[in-house]
Amino acid sequence: APDGGQPCSSDFQCAQGEYCNDGVCTEIGGDKGPEVCTSDDDCGEGKICEGGLCVEGVRKDGGVDGGEQGLDGDSGADGSDQVSDENPGPQPEIHLGGDVIIRQDSEGLTYELNFGNVSIGVAVSQNLTIKNTGDAPLVITVVTLADDPDEEFTVHPQVPPEITIDPGDEHTLVVEYNAADGLTDRAVARIFSNDPDSGQLDVKLISEFKGEASIAIDPVLLDFGDVPVNTSTMLPVTISNQGTGNAVLQVDDVAPEPALASAFSVNLLDAGGGPISALPTYINKGDFISAEVTFDSQSRNEYEGNLVIVHSVQDSSPATVLLKARAGIPSIDVQPQSIDFGQVPLGDWATDVEITISNVGVGDLTVDSVILTPSDPFVLDGLPALPFVVSPGSQQLFSLRYSPSQVGSDTALLSLSSDDPSSPNVQIPVAGEGVQGNAIPTAIILANGSNTDYLLVNRGDRVNLDGRDSFDNDGNIVAYEWSLDSQPLADNCSNSETSLSSASSPSPFMIAKRGGLYSVSLKVKDDHGDWSANDELTIQALSAPTAIIRQGGNDTGYAETDMGNTLQFNGGYSRDCDGSVAGYEWTWITYPQGRGAPPTIGGGDQYASVLFDYPGNYTIGLRVTDDDSPANTSESATFDILVKGPKAFRVTADWYDLGLEDNRVDVDIHLLKPGAQSDWAPEACCPKDGPEGDDCDENPDWGVLGSPVYQTDGWEDDGVTPQGAPGDEINFDNPGMGQYTVKIQFRCQSSTLWAGNYLCCNDIFFPCSRVSCSSDAQQRKAQGIVTIYVTDYDNNETQLVQRPFSIDAEQICDMVTIGTLSWPDGNFQ
């Protein structure tokens, strides 16, 4: 093609959004029509302005241009200008552009919007631009659509209301095409305006559908198999258009044949999975719809017929999909399919053979007859009364026995009849041989002293095997042959293989080194050289998982941290030799007594997160379970944590008398444990002999909250700042978590020296009383300081806080609150 585009002869050969223009696929849009002009000067060399468009030609009048003319081509026959003698004044002049294709041919100027190659359901838009090249406002009064019976074309916005376009301006209308079927569409957009020369312009609207639709069905057979009665099952069918061009496949009907209508139903879906509510429906080239065919088995029956698809492909009959289904049909399976008892000594009974009738179908199986011909010397045992019914998935068992009465071969035929339509008759050949001479020995395995086919042990256990209960009815056992037939493959813990201590010993042993299943067999030989059949033993070794705790990259089992830190513990390195870890259980093994309760373990599954808000020694534990059934649980793994923080505090009080300097005063400290309700109950640490005979304990034992110790007064001279030992002191080396309240009490008005220790008269003789001391009580006043010290993990004591106090005689015996110490965070308020 000259411009490099795709050669074409019709729009359908071009991509969507293109149309076939002069044999070349050309992109729709961009105002690709002829050049618009008002005079010859607007056109290039070799072109003249005719009808407002530049066209190839030469003027016969020697170069006089065509002037400003409308698009209706009103020039004279000889090409000269046709100019009215009267000047009409300013006038509008309409020109079309945008995606409009403008052609000049023998019919004059034509206008066209070509929507090119489109698909059903995909809206395509074209721009219709109206330009005013005149010198007066252009008014578009009406835009109508004609020859559009299916209303596939629309114009936005609608006109009216009318549109006014000033000189030199333009306005764009959007024409949208939405194909409703696969047919070629032709319509006309008519534009009515106040242009005196072109009051009506017709724009052809064109869309082509070409090519041939072709239907493709996949699959062409839907076999629903055996389905239980009163159940439904669905299988899908894809219907696609594999035709040429952009031809559309019309599907008029998809339905089962009338004979199948009661058992099969159809639900149609579009390519996006949405329902198709009505037919016909249309399929673009390369697209598809889905037919969900549901089989509803209402009664026992067999079904076969066609799904019929009526479509629009010419010269083709309706497409079909073969439908097959069986509802409630039983299926018999008999095991074993043949029976040979082998050689059996005369008069002995061979090992019974169990016969299993299984119903592997979906409907009840009725067994009408079970006949053994001839019956002697074979015997049916445990056969239920006939007829009997075997439900789907169930079995019926009975046995066949054999005891030969003479030397030689015996044969019989076991015949079963049922209502299985596929196998109404089943025949099982039966054989055996009576022999004289040696009886075959019998091997018997004892495992850990038990005659069992299955033994459950733990990985690493010793299993003692014993074959000495094996026997020979007519002789002796002379040899043993043990075999470890199978054992677990290499496990996650790289444990070595297991072996028998001996293959020929009557009583070997084995160590189950790996978790999993082991298979052991034994055969014995009698004194006639005959070997027994194998006796078999299955051993299952359970393998408990191993719990492992890491803290970050620390796997030592010990960590130190400061109080207030959060540590993350990882149990993800736990392992299970014969499987995987399935469950994690985090617990506290130990925690400091003073905390009262263990801290919360956050996180989940293999991770644990702990905020350590109290100092001391902690031990966290982890047990894991594996994915065995039943699950095995590990021993508890532990991780020790030392949390560094404050471990003791001390409360002191110093004071002196601001009243009468020749007499001393007494102040006592009271420390109340968290939650205390009384200033004088045993829950307060203070001097004894409280008011009204109440006693508090100078050295109480508060359990998890610790044991504070009250120190006696160490007196200083009144009237001076205390030096050396404090007047009162409470030492607390093991405080528990909580809020401790500090109070003081002004004990009395006078005092005396007693046995080298300064004591108040109230201390000696009475409980605290406002009237029990000298008459100069009103002159007594105590002033001092309460100080709290904290000892850290490294035994360094620092002062936490000081609180001054001043108490006069009016407050004798009153409890004065200094503050509350929050432990162990050290907040004092």
Side-chain angles (χ1 to χ4, degrees), residues 635-657:
E635 297 292 331
S636 182
T638 60
F639 203 99
D640 297 325
I641 307 98
L642 173 60
V643 179
K644 298 180 179 181
K647 60 183 180 181
F649 68 84
R650 181 165 62 99
V651 183
T652 67
D654 290 298
W655 66 89
Y656 58 90
D657 183 7

Side-chain angles (χ1 to χ4, degrees), residues 323-359:
L323 304 178
K324 298 176 68 175
R326 304 198 318 167
I329 304 300
S331 179
I332 191 171
D333 178 72
V334 182
Q335 297 295 333
Q337 297 180 4
S338 64
I339 301 172
D340 188 350
F341 288 95
Q343 293 183 340
V344 180
L346 298 182
D348 286 351
W349 284 96
T351 301
D352 292 356
V353 174
E354 188 174 67
I355 299 171
T356 303
I357 301 176
S358 301
N359 182 1

